[in-house]
Amino acid sequence: ETGVTQTPRHLVMGMTNKKSLKCEQHLGHNAMYWYKQSAKKPLELMFVYSLEERVENNSVPSRFSPECPNSSHLFLHLHTLQPEDSALYLCASSQALVAEQFFGPGTRLTVL
Amino acid sequence: AQSVTQLGSHVSVSEGALVLLRCNYSSSVPPYLFWYVQYPNQGLQLLLKYTTGATLVKGINGFEAEFKKSETSFHLTKPSAHMSDAAEYFCAVSDRDSGTYKYIFGTGTRLKVLA
């Protein structure tokens, strides 16, 4: 595997389910990011990790819970989501916080 | 405060015509500037970046951008559009001010290429 991978690519879940999104970067980068991309809305930065420490949390509801166990892996744990949480969730990584970001293909999430 | 403005959420050009996508930024310190492209059902891909040095930056797929400090602009151009250029394009700015980093994306411009 090369670059940034995300699994699953598609996820359909009910409002009472618990699921997790996984991101893995094979680039040796130090920073990782979660973004939410909804139709007709700007890209929303959710969480930023640098050297496995969370450095930014942009007022994201607590039903989204990130986890960064090491510099190569990033998870987004989901529980009791709402239909408006349906979106494309993108993971990215970068060598430094101001450097260019490399994105995964995204997980298309649908909440029923 | 740092910000990015992309003028025109939708741009249409004919195949073979000049592509011009506009990006203006504000930053209190010298910024790093980026253009990304996103094809349907994919993540964003870096087209080009400006950090320091030469203000005309060349990227992949024949795109280039020029950093104009006096105009606080970083417009993306391509001399001749190809059907495969149809995608969404995002301008981004990053800087580190007083120890705090910021990385902001514009709202995107969807490019349509007409045959």
Side-chain angles (χ1 to χ4, degrees):
Chain A
E1 293 276 20
T2 59
V4 180
T5 58
Q6 290 186 244
T7 54
R9 293 293 311 277
H10 300 271
L11 177 62
V12 179
M13 58 188 288
M15 293 167 61
T16 59
N17 291 158
K18 287 185 181 180
K19 296 286 185 182
S20 295
L21 309 185
K22 178 183 175 182
C23 175
E24 184 173 0
Q25 60 99 355
H26 309 266
L27 301 167
H29 288 166
N30 295 317
M32 296 188 77
Y33 312 76
W34 278 118
Y35 288 90
K36 176 183 178 183
Q37 188 176 38
S38 306
K40 300 182 181 179
K41 283 188 175 180
L43 201 59
E44 298 175 55
L45 177 63
M46 301 175 73
F47 301 104
V48 181
Y49 278 81
S50 177
L51 298 172
E52 301 152 45
E53 282 193 31
R54 192 189 308 178
V55 296
E56 189 155 343
N57 175 350
N58 281 338
S59 303
V60 179
S62 59
R63 56 185 183 269
F64 294 92
S65 175
E67 178 190 1
C68 187
N70 54 60
S71 61
S72 299
H73 294 86
L74 186 64
F75 294 89
L76 188 62
H77 304 299
L78 316 171
H79 64 96
T80 60
L81 294 192
Q82 305 298 310
E84 60 264 29
D85 297 322
S86 298
L88 182 67
Y89 288 84
L90 292 165
C91 174
S93 71
S94 66
Q95 182 58 44
L97 290 174
V98 294
E100 63 269 29
Q101 296 181 14
F102 292 78
F103 284 78
T107 295
R108 175 70 61 187
L109 174 67
T110 302
V111 181
L112 301 176
Chain B
Q2 188 193 54
S3 67
V4 178
T5 302
Q6 290 186 242
L7 290 175
S9 59
H10 292 80
V11 170
S12 294
V13 299
S14 299
E15 192 176 18
L18 171 72
V19 176
L20 171 61
L21 303 182
R22 299 178 186 274
C23 174
N24 288 89
Y25 71 92
S26 68
S27 176
S28 56
V29 297
Y32 292 172
L33 297 159
F34 309 86
W35 275 100
Y36 292 83
V37 61
Q38 185 179 28
Y39 298 102
N41 300 312
Q42 294 186 28
L44 280 69
Q45 178 186 1
L46 181 71
L47 270 179
L48 49 80
K49 66 178 180 181
Y50 169 81
T51 54
T52 59
T55 56
L56 182 63
V57 180
K58 295 186 185 298
I60 62 172
N61 301 339
F63 284 93
E64 61 183 38
E66 186 171 9
F67 169 56
K68 291 189 176 180
K69 185 177 178 182
S70 61
E71 298 177 9
T72 59
S73 69
F74 191 57
H75 301 330
L76 182 71
T77 60
K78 182 174 179 178
S80 176
H82 192 272
M83 297 299 288
S84 61
D85 294 326
E88 189 151 23
Y89 292 80
F90 293 89
C91 181
V93 59
S94 74
D95 63 35
R96 188 184 297 275
D97 186 10
S98 302
T100 301
Y101 102 96
K102 281 293 181 184
Y103 202 114
I104 294 179
F105 284 87
T107 52
T109 297
R110 189 169 297 278
L111 176 66
K112 187 175 181 179
V113 182
L114 307 171

